[in-house]
Amino acid sequence: MPRALRRLVHMGLFCPLSKGLQTPAIKVKYLLLAWLTILITSWVIYMQYAAYSELCRGHVCHMVICDHYRRGIISGSSCDALCDQRTLTFQRCLSTSATHQVYSGLWKERPVVIKCGIEELVKGDGVPDAVLQQEMSLFDKPTRGTSMDEFKEMLHSFLKANLGEQPSLSTLVERIITMADVNQDRKVSLAEAKSVWALLQINEFLLNMALQEKEHTPKLLGFCGDLYVTEHVGHSSLYRLKVPSHLQTLVPEALSSSLNHWLAPSWPRRARITIGLLEFVEEVFHGAYGSFLICDASPRHVGYNAKFDCKMANLRNVASEAVVRVFLKGRRCETNADCTYGRDCTATCDRLVKQCNTEVVQPNLAKVCTLLQDYLLFGAPSDLHGDLEKQLRTCVTLSGLASQMEVHHSLVLNNLKTLLWKKISNTQYS
């Protein structure tokens, strides 16, 4: 930059400020503002770094998995790409829990999502040997000498305990065996068996296997030990603005809501995403492998792709009805809050015997409609707004009692889908 131009910029930017600071009151005000800005900025940077270092431990996951793979303890269709060829790579951290690592990644230049679990780490620099020992316990079953028939029986018993008695469990067992057979030699090695057994202990992976044929479940692309790879979901939340927990006190809820309204897709596209979410509610209600309950209907768990097709970005908060019933059965309680599985799968408390009932009060559809009231009503066409608001109001009052579930539940869901589909059918959004 020429000297004359630099001098002109300096005079324009700094001379007014230096003249203003000559007045003592203004000088103090500017100093306070400057220090406050520095303080807030430093705090935000520190919190971001602390949150990242606490939540993002993909390097630990990579080290542990590849160590086990090279020692022949585990196997999987993604191991070679992750540990030897390095064509499967971690990119941006998406983790919300230190023990459940989630990263966007690339596999042969294809965008994917990489997920793996790690035990609570011992504090300190580096990765202690204890971490490797803790992870070893994940791969202790089946043991050497287990036959294929015994392994299939192990799988069937595990699925029965977690999904309930279903006539189609044998089909799911065969699907799992086929996935475990990485080299397709019609045999399952001990390393392959250990890997798939460890994966099934992860609720989200089990749900992913049970719902793999469903349109709104991300496709499973590969695995290595208890690390698994799924298709990339372009938008991992209904709302684009996700305020970190340590900044929520600084950002008013009304402001974040207004910004999300402004950043949201157009209403017809939101209607298309909503129809997909309602279809997912249908898919998990009396499916081939039983019924599943959404125990945290958060916008952060519902995603969509570039075509605005709904994809469940996070299945960790979905649970089988069988597991929830086992959790509630015989559970001691004083209030209904004591009868809650996850965040909001709540049953009633029988105060006479002080035990939980096993039937969850609020069905999936009512929870989803509560979520959709804000998402779908803002910007809705004026000729549809009244009917849509009425349908959603009816929907959120649904009870989970068996007497209502079969007929009333289906009727409300179909009415809502029809109302939305009529508005966007025969358009570019259908």
Side-chain angles (χ1 to χ4, degrees), residues 73-125:
I73 298 168
I74 62 173
S75 181
S77 56
S78 305
C79 291
D80 189 44
L82 179 71
C83 303
D84 294 336
Q85 298 179 4
R86 298 296 178 97
T87 54
L88 174 60
T89 56
F90 290 75
Q91 288 191 316
R92 189 164 66 91
C93 177
L94 307 173
S95 305
T96 57
S97 166
T99 58
H100 187 75
Q101 295 293 289
V102 183
Y103 278 78
S104 64
L106 282 179
W107 192 356
K108 296 180 180 178
E109 305 305 317
R110 176 185 179 180
V112 295
V113 175
I114 305 169
K115 301 183 178 184
C116 72
I118 54 177
E119 297 291 334
E120 286 290 351
L121 302 184
V122 179
K123 299 295 182 182
D125 296 330

Side-chain angles (χ1 to χ4, degrees), residues 24-263:
I26 297 178
K27 183 176 181 179
V28 171
K29 183 177 75 172
Y30 273 108
L31 283 173
L32 286 174
L33 284 173
W35 277 110
L36 184 61
T37 302
I38 292 170
L39 183 64
I40 293 174
T41 303
S42 301
W43 179 80
V44 169
I45 291 172
Y46 170 76
M47 292 301 293
Q48 288 281 55
Y49 171 78
Y52 185 89
S53 60
E54 178 69 23
L55 294 177
C56 302
R57 294 168 174 172
H59 62 289
V60 177
C61 201
H62 185 279
M63 184 209 70
V64 171
I65 289 294
C66 290
D67 175 78
H68 290 348
Y69 169 61
R70 291 180 181 120
R71 290 159 61 188
I73 298 168
I74 62 173
S75 181
S77 56
S78 305
C79 291
D80 189 44
L82 179 71
C83 303
D84 294 336
Q85 298 179 4
R86 298 296 178 97
T87 54
L88 174 60
T89 56
F90 290 75
Q91 288 191 316
R92 189 164 66 91
C93 177
L94 307 173
S95 305
T96 57
S97 166
T99 58
H100 187 75
Q101 295 293 289
V102 183
Y103 278 78
S104 64
L106 282 179
W107 192 356
K108 296 180 180 178
E109 305 305 317
R110 176 185 179 180
V112 295
V113 175
I114 305 169
K115 301 183 178 184
C116 72
I118 54 177
E119 297 291 334
E120 286 290 351
L121 302 184
V122 179
K123 299 295 182 182
D125 296 330
V127 182
D129 292 338
V131 178
L132 292 173
Q133 294 171 5
Q134 288 169 353
E135 291 297 307
M136 281 290 291
S137 64
L138 292 172
F139 306 108
D140 59 354
K141 290 183 181 180
T143 56
R144 188 173 298 279
T146 302
S147 68
M148 178 62 83
D149 288 339
E150 289 172 326
F151 183 53
K152 285 185 177 181
E153 184 58 37
M154 278 177 63
L155 291 174
H156 193 279
S157 298
F158 176 82
L159 295 175
K160 181 180 176 181
N162 285 273
L163 302 178
E165 183 65 75
Q166 309 295 336
S168 55
L169 286 185
S170 56
T171 304
L172 186 55
V173 169
E174 290 303 320
R175 181 190 297 175
I176 293 169
I177 292 292
T178 301
M179 181 200 70
D181 183 15
V182 176
N183 56 9
Q184 299 181 342
D185 61 353
R186 298 186 179 182
K187 299 177 183 178
V188 176
S189 68
L190 184 61
E192 291 170 341
K194 285 178 180 291
S195 298
V196 77
W197 183 258
L199 280 168
L200 290 171
Q201 312 311 306
I202 304 171
N203 176 64
E204 184 178 42
F205 182 86
L206 174 60
L207 269 288
N208 200 294
M209 289 299 299
L211 301 173
Q212 189 60 203
E213 296 175 348
K214 305 303 182 182
E215 180 183 354
H216 306 292
T217 302
K219 300 304 177 189
L220 180 68
L221 303 177
F223 69 98
C224 182
D226 64 339
L227 174 149
Y228 56 105
V229 185
T230 65
E231 70 171 303
H232 174 72
V233 178
H235 301 274
S236 58
S237 173
L238 280 181
Y239 296 117
R240 296 186 183 183
L241 177 65
K242 292 180 281 187
V243 181
S245 57
H246 57 273
L247 294 180
Q248 288 176 357
T249 54
L250 297 177
V251 182
E253 187 176 346
L255 176 60
S256 62
S257 178
S258 297
L259 287 172
N260 273 316
H261 288 179
W262 184 68
L263 294 169

Side-chain angles (χ1 to χ4, degrees), residues 331-377:
R331 188 175 184 83
R332 296 283 296 171
C333 63
E334 297 291 338
T335 65
N336 291 353
D338 299 325
C339 304
T340 302
Y341 180 93
R343 184 171 176 267
D344 56 13
C345 280
T346 303
T348 55
C349 174
D350 188 334
R351 289 182 173 83
L352 292 177
V353 295
K354 293 191 175 182
Q355 285 191 350
C356 296
N357 294 311
T358 59
E359 203 163 18
V360 173
V361 174
Q362 192 179 34
N364 292 335
L365 184 58
K367 297 173 190 175
V368 165
C369 285
T370 301
L371 173 65
L372 291 172
Q373 279 184 313
D374 179 61
Y375 185 71
L376 203 55
L377 286 177

